[in-house]
Amino acid sequence: MGIVNVTPDSFSDGGRFLATDDAVAHGHTLLDQGADLLDIGGESTRPGATRPLVADELARVVPVIETLAQEGATLSVDTMRPEVAEAALKAGAKIVNDVSGGLADPGILKVAADHGATYVIMHWRGHSTEMQSQDHLVYAHGVVATVKEELEQRIEAARAAGIYDDKIVIDPGLGFSKTADDNWRLLAGVEEFHKLGFPVLIGASRKTFLGRLLAAPDGTLRPVTERENAHDAITVFLAQRGVWATRVHDVRAAKDALAAAMKLETIR
């Protein structure tokens, strides 16, 4: 899943693809590099980010989705808002990637159900301005078991809204109300999420826990654009464990790593 951030303030590439033409061109680049689908988002969800107005989010994502959908791309809209999900699905998106799992606005569940869209339920405990507050970082039964339990609750909410099981994808939400250690535990325990019976999406690309792993001796985090090698190792690890998709910034690097791993699998 190639990432197209149509935002001025995303942590990795904020502002680079804010103009519609730039976002569409970036989508073309990711598809040429081998992306299977594109995730188009108009709201940064990095810690501390301020939410855009609904009108601004719509203006950012809908023209990009319309253009790429007309060209035959498979598209996901990364949004927590039912208004944006509705417009994006009408414009040609097929997937709603809701980082809040319906908690930010339950109306988005009905939108996904009414359109028969695939709906990604991510584990979430609060908006960007509050998600790293101390009370959101407590996992009473361990992070893997607790995230699994809370995802089950959101799955039931999606079902109650009319979303069928074959349209549900789950995401443990790396970096959202999680410490670096939590993120590593979720990755190592990813097979536990398969037990819920749904495809699993993972978004680890360029996130802070990788910057901490690769930090300089003085503690300075590795810059976001220099974390790709570590992320590619994670991508291979996840593919070998049956993850449905990984959400990535650098599609070519991820595809290259997967190609090498797959070649080795054919020889064994």
Side-chain angles (χ1 to χ4, degrees), residues 58-222:
L58 285 165
R60 292 171 184 176
V61 301
V62 172
V64 178
I65 289 171
E66 284 178 337
T67 301
L68 291 169
Q70 288 169 5
E71 296 170 356
T74 302
L75 304 174
S76 166
V77 61
D78 178 2
T79 187
M80 294 181 271
R81 288 171 161 149
E83 306 96 322
V84 177
E86 178 83 33
L89 292 169
K90 288 180 177 177
K94 301 299 183 185
I95 301 167
V96 176
N97 181 15
D98 177 6
V99 300
S100 81
L103 288 170
D105 190 329
I108 200 169
L109 300 174
K110 186 175 187 304
V111 170
D114 288 349
H115 285 267
T118 296
Y119 182 68
V120 180
I121 300 172
M122 198 193 81
H123 178 267
W124 185 85
R125 284 184 167 182
H127 287 288
S128 296
T129 53
E130 60 187 13
M131 68 181 181
Q132 294 303 106
S133 63
Q134 195 59 41
D135 58 330
H136 285 181
L137 302 177
V138 176
Y139 292 91
H141 305 117
V143 68
V144 174
T146 305
V147 168
K148 190 176 170 185
E149 291 167 6
E150 294 180 8
L151 280 173
E152 286 182 294
Q153 295 169 12
R154 302 316 305 155
I155 290 165
E156 290 307 313
R159 285 170 167 163
I163 299 174
Y164 294 111
D165 280 13
D166 63 356
K167 295 293 185 179
I168 293 175
V169 174
I170 58 173
D171 180 344
L174 300 185
F176 288 78
S177 301
K178 316 291 191 307
T179 65
D181 285 345
D182 288 337
N183 294 327
W184 289 113
R185 290 189 179 98
L186 290 168
L187 287 169
V190 69
E191 288 165 299
E192 280 298 306
F193 296 101
H194 289 307
K195 295 178 182 179
L196 293 174
F198 300 94
V200 177
L201 170 68
I202 298 289
S205 183
R206 298 184 178 177
K207 289 190 172 178
T208 301
F209 77 103
L210 295 175
R212 293 190 190 284
L213 174 72
L214 305 171
D218 66 358
T220 302
L221 300 188
R222 177 77 64 84

